[in-house]
Amino acid sequence: RPVMWTSPTTAVRLSSVYGPVYNGYTNLQQNFNGHFYTGSIKHNILLGANFRNYSSNFLFADVQQIDQIDVTGNFQPVTRQAIDAKMSFEPYPTPTQNTTSAYASDVIDLLPKLSAMVSLRLDRFSRAAIDDEDKSFKQTALAPKFGLVYQLVPQQFSLFGNYMSGFQNIAPILQPDGSLSVLDPIYANQAEGGVKAELLKKKITFTASYYYIKIDNATRVDEKMFTIQDGQQVSKGIDLEFISQPISGLNIVAGYAYNDNRIVKADSAAGIDGNKSANAPENVANFWASYTLQKRAKGLGVGFGVNYVDKMYRASNNVFFIPSYTLANATLFYN
């Protein structure tokens, strides 16, 4: 139930209702795995196909004014009966979507310490028409991926790098004014490199990587909370992950991510080139540790963790932001 302030003490109470909602998914997948040799070089093959169907329907009622109140005085809460009396429900237009995919991947053992991966994915996406104004949409796309892994210390310390391209189909967006915006697919190219270590008989696992992602047909949120698709976006940063089981019963997981996510090209009238993307915190960190008793009271355990999320802008004009926060959790459990 949204609220619209008309003065520091006066608010108009509004309501919009969605539901009941039905979402139906059908997913069929078949994979074939195997290996063969070309001379002394081993090939590990994956061939597969996938079909996915999505359908949805639900009723909705557009925004209606319930009443106007003075918040300095006494006022009654809004009840469901008051909302239902003003609502007029209509079917919400949701298109049926189908995705048919085929993919092939080959992991090649070039040398005892060097492996390469080559893969290709073909996607055929189709979306039914919503009405006479919104026509049906079909798209075929190829997504290649290449990767290298070099084991500096076999089974313990590796260097890796990969490159991939692909696309993501975005569901229609309901805008704040109740209109429906049908978006084009988002295209992206990603390069990543890093190190991975598994030490002390895999009691310690550590991964560090740097990534660079360039996005075309990027979406952004303007100051009025409308979703707009008009340019390019770049996301780059680092990921760190640490997992350890130093002794029986003790599990430790920690992570840190730095993400510089910016709009590099948009409508010139918006004047936001170089601004940070909405809902993209720059720093995120997490820690979790748990211990389960191994002898007396076996199965009884405790856990503690902390999550940190940096401030994030609510819109692409970078004015209003959600402050950073830290969340601490603790648990007592028995298995």
Side-chain angles (χ1 to χ4, degrees):
R1 295 193 295 270
V3 174
M4 181 173 65
W5 293 91
T6 56
S7 78
T9 61
T10 306
V12 175
R13 297 195 288 187
L14 310 162
S15 181
S16 59
V17 181
Y18 294 84
V21 179
Y22 166 81
N23 290 312
Y25 299 89
T26 300
N27 193 72
L28 302 174
Q29 185 175 33
Q30 177 64 54
N31 290 327
F32 298 95
N33 294 279
H35 63 268
F36 66 92
Y37 288 84
T38 54
S40 60
I41 298 177
K42 183 179 179 181
H43 298 259
N44 301 280
I45 295 293
L46 167 67
L47 302 174
N50 186 82
F51 173 78
R52 182 178 185 272
N53 171 271
Y54 165 72
S55 61
S56 175
N57 64 72
F58 62 93
L59 298 177
F60 84 106
D62 209 348
V63 177
Q64 298 290 335
Q65 179 174 330
I66 303 301
D67 58 18
Q68 180 171 296
I69 60 172
D70 181 352
V71 297
T72 62
N74 295 325
F75 57 89
Q76 296 297 318
V78 175
T79 64
R80 178 174 177 175
Q81 288 79 6
I83 294 175
D84 288 347
K86 294 178 176 289
M87 294 294 107
S88 176
F89 287 89
E90 299 178 4
Y92 190 84
T94 53
T96 298
Q97 302 177 17
N98 291 315
T99 304
T100 304
S101 308
Y103 44 89
S105 176
D106 185 7
V107 177
I108 309 167
D109 296 335
L110 298 173
L111 297 169
K113 294 184 178 182
L114 179 64
S115 298
M117 188 273 291
V118 180
S119 72
L120 185 64
R121 182 183 179 96
L122 173 69
D123 283 280
R124 175 65 172 175
F125 174 79
S126 64
R127 189 195 72 222
I130 296 177
D131 52 35
D132 292 337
E133 295 182 2
D134 175 62
K135 305 299 182 181
S136 61
F137 175 80
K138 295 181 180 181
Q139 181 191 49
T140 302
L142 286 170
K145 183 176 182 179
F146 311 96
L148 286 172
V149 175
Y150 181 74
Q151 299 183 56
L152 287 175
V153 181
Q155 306 301 320
Q156 293 187 60
F157 192 86
S158 301
L159 302 176
F160 67 88
N162 62 66
Y163 167 83
M164 66 181 298
S165 67
F167 73 97
Q168 180 182 6
N169 291 293
I170 304 298
I173 296 291
L174 179 66
Q175 304 286 19
D177 63 356
S179 63
L180 189 70
S181 294
V182 178
L183 303 178
D184 293 328
I186 295 176
Y187 295 90
N189 294 282
Q190 172 182 303
E192 182 183 21
V195 299
K196 181 172 183 178
E198 292 184 335
L199 308 174
L200 302 177
K201 298 181 179 180
K202 298 187 178 182
K203 289 183 178 180
I204 295 177
T205 301
F206 176 75
T207 304
S209 65
Y210 171 82
Y211 61 88
Y212 180 93
I213 306 171
K214 183 179 179 182
I215 303 169
D216 290 314
N217 281 356
T219 60
R220 61 182 177 89
V221 180
D222 70 6
E223 62 275 11
K224 296 181 180 179
M225 295 295 104
F226 279 79
T227 298
I228 299 172
Q229 187 175 46
D230 66 353
Q232 295 179 343
Q233 188 175 324
V234 167
S235 176
K236 55 186 177 181
I238 60 172
D239 275 326
L240 304 176
E241 183 182 64
F242 174 85
I243 302 173
S244 179
Q245 295 177 312
I247 60 175
S248 296
L250 178 59
N251 295 277
I252 301 172
V253 178
Y256 168 76
Y258 169 79
N259 180 27
D260 183 20
N261 194 329
R262 295 182 183 271
I263 298 164
V264 296
K265 183 180 179 182
D267 187 340
S268 58
I272 59 171
D273 287 8
N275 281 12
K276 288 187 174 294
S277 302
N279 304 313
E282 194 170 82
N283 296 281
V284 176
N286 66 282
F287 171 83
W288 180 261
S290 66
Y291 179 71
T292 305
L293 297 175
Q294 300 297 296
K295 294 182 178 179
R296 290 187 177 180
K298 184 177 180 179
L300 182 65
V302 294
F304 173 77
V306 177
N307 289 72
Y308 170 79
V309 177
D310 210 351
K311 78 172 185 179
M312 67 184 88
Y313 289 104
R314 191 67 183 91
S316 53
N317 63 347
N318 287 187
V319 175
F320 176 74
F321 64 87
I322 299 172
S324 63
Y325 66 88
T326 301
L327 175 66
N329 288 285
T331 182
L332 176 66
F333 60 88
Y334 177 76
N335 287 324

